[in-house]
């Protein structure tokens, strides 16, 4: 599979500007309701965090938020809608590593440029993803699951509702030396429903949308996708510790707008998000959702997106995923 970060994308300026943003922001402010585009369905982790953000901004900044869920095509549908919106500061997409990391590597003919078509606003957090199985799978640890999968090639399945699940399933097979069948879904909630019901064996689940099921025992977490354990859930091992050496998938979220947003609007959005995100109470609530809070300048987020496009392209190639 070929994946090349184009020269046009590398040299494009929208994600890199403005370079200097002060947390205090500017006098710019939305003058009408703001549309927040979400690339996944209602009930997904991204949707949950978006609705937390909009409630905080409504109280703090006085904006009138409209949340618009645009699931499908691993975030590409939402990305295209955002890229085509008027760049006046009244449309913001809460993006993730799907539309702004992995999807460009998974599409043979991308319908948008993940760099040139957007204005970076702020990075917002890192998702904690677990590899979880339904309660009918007779495995209590990742080592036990790998042993079962090796003994029964093709018997077990892995659902995905985002690109973390798509790439994660391929990495599971490659690193674990197993044959687990990938079952794609449009979004995480229906994928999780089928895993809980026993129609699919496993999935890579974001804690934001799966925590209640994990707590109730309907899903059994066997490990997390980060390189090391997280202080949020110290009892869960990293998958790299328990049978999948070198396994690591970073899943992020952040805010972007259409390319050519006015600098003062980008600055104001960055300041508003950082203002409500930096509150201790917000950080606590994000932790409950399985999100490690992160903030950045627009320029830092633009650089991070470029790095993530390259990273996910490498992971997709290594996993043997062919673009579609």
């Amino acid at each position: 599979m070929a994946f090349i970060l184009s020269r046009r994308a590398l040299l494009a300026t929208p994600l890199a500007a403005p370079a200097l943003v002060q947390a205090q922001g500017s006098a710019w402010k939305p003058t009408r309701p703001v549309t927040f585009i979400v690339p996944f369905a209602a009930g997904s982790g991204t949707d949950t965090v978006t609705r937390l953000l909009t409630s905080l901004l409504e109280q703090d900044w006085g904006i009138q938020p409209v949340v618009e869920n645009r699931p499908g095509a691993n975030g590409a549908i939402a990305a295209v809608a955002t890229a085509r919106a008027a760049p006046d500061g009244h449309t913001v997409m809460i993006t993730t590593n799907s539309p702004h990391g992995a999807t460009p590597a998974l599409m043979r003919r991308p319908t948008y440029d993940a760099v040139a078509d957007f204005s970076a606003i702020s990075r917002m957090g890192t998702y904690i993803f677990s590899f979880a199985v339904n309660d009918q799978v007779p495995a209590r640890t990742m080592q036990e699951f790998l042993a079962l999968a090796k003994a029964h090639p093709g018997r077990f399945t892995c659902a995905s509702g985002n690109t973390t699940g798509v790439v994660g399933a391929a990495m599971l097979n490659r690193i674990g030396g197993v044959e687990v069948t990938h079952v794609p879904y449009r979004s995480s909630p229906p994928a999780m429903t089928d895993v809980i019901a026993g129609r699919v064996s496993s999935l890579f689940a974001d804690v934001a949308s799966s925590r209640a099921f994990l707590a109730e025992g309907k899903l059994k977490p066997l490990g997390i996708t980060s390189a090391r354990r997280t202080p949020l859930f110290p009892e869960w091992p990293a998958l790299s510790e328990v049978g999948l050496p070198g396994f690591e998938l970073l899943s992020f979220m952040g805010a972007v707008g259409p390319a050519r947003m006015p600098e003062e609007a980008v600055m104001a959005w960055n300041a508003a998000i950082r203002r409500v995100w930096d509150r201790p109470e917000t950080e606590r609530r994000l932790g409950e959702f399985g999100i490690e809070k992160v903030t950045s300048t627009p320029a830092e987020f633009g650089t991070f997106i470029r790095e993530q496009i390259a990273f996910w392209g490498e992971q997709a190639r290594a996993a043997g995923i062919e673009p579609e």
Side-chain angles (χ1 to χ4, degrees):
M1 182 201 75
F3 175 75
I4 299 174
L5 187 60
S6 69
R7 179 176 176 82
R8 179 169 76 91
L10 284 170
L11 297 180
T13 58
L15 279 179
L20 298 176
V21 176
Q22 300 299 321
Q24 288 75 20
S26 69
W28 186 92
K29 194 173 183 180
T31 57
R32 62 178 187 274
V34 174
T35 298
F36 289 83
I37 296 180
V38 181
F40 303 109
S44 63
T46 306
D47 176 77
T48 299
V49 177
T50 298
R51 292 177 191 277
L52 169 63
L53 174 66
T54 57
S55 68
L56 294 172
L57 289 175
E58 186 173 16
Q59 298 165 20
D60 180 87
W61 212 13
I63 67 164
Q64 300 177 54
V66 177
V67 177
E68 189 173 297
N69 296 89
R70 294 276 192 115
N74 289 318
I77 293 173
V80 170
T82 304
R84 292 176 178 173
D88 58 8
H90 291 83
T91 299
V92 173
M93 176 182 179
I94 305 304
T95 192
T96 71
N97 52 284
S98 286
H100 280 90
T103 297
L106 301 177
M107 299 180 73
R108 192 176 301 278
R109 295 181 179 85
T111 53
Y112 63 96
D113 188 312
V115 173
D117 290 345
F118 301 90
S119 298
I121 295 173
S122 180
R123 191 175 167 194
M124 292 168 53
T126 300
Y127 286 97
I128 306 301
F129 267 77
S130 71
F131 177 73
V133 298
N134 65 53
D135 59 6
Q136 300 168 35
V137 175
R140 294 169 299 173
T141 66
M142 193 67 199
Q143 292 95 330
E144 291 180 359
F145 178 81
L146 291 173
L148 285 170
K150 288 176 181 177
H152 305 281
R155 171 180 167 184
F156 296 98
T157 51
C158 184
S160 72
N162 48 51
T163 56
T164 300
V166 174
V167 177
M171 291 176 65
L172 169 66
N173 284 337
R174 177 176 61 87
I175 299 175
V178 295
E179 294 180 24
V180 174
T181 302
H182 174 225
V183 183
Y185 288 78
R186 284 174 56 87
S187 196
S188 294
M192 203 173 310
T193 297
D194 277 3
V195 174
I196 292 169
R199 290 185 283 270
V200 184
S201 309
S202 64
L203 83 165
F204 287 88
D206 62 273
V207 176
S209 60
S210 63
R211 186 168 185 177
F213 303 119
L214 294 165
E216 294 168 4
K218 294 179 179 178
L219 291 173
K220 294 186 291 185
L222 304 185
I224 58 174
T225 63
S226 55
R228 58 189 63 86
R229 297 188 186 218
T230 171
L232 294 177
F233 308 101
E235 69 277 16
W236 294 350
L239 292 174
S240 58
E241 298 176 45
V242 289
L244 297 175
F247 193 107
E248 179 184 10
L249 279 179
L250 173 66
S251 302
F252 70 87
M253 71 179 306
V256 299
R260 297 176 298 282
M261 272 180 64
E263 180 175 341
E264 59 269 23
V266 173
M267 292 174 65
W269 271 110
N270 180 273
I273 291 172
R274 295 174 77 171
R275 186 168 59 247
V276 299
W277 233 231
D278 286 341
R279 297 172 183 168
E281 173 64 15
T282 303
E283 187 165 2
R284 182 189 67 78
R285 292 180 68 181
L286 289 172
E288 291 176 352
F289 296 148
I291 304 287
E292 294 178 341
K293 186 207 80 174
V294 181
T295 56
S296 72
T297 66
E300 289 168 344
F301 189 37
T303 297
F304 180 79
I305 287 174
R306 290 186 179 89
E307 294 170 348
Q308 287 298 299
I309 291 170
F311 169 81
W312 283 88
E314 292 169 1
Q315 295 301 319
R317 281 198 305 274
I321 299 175
E322 293 292 333
E324 299 179 355

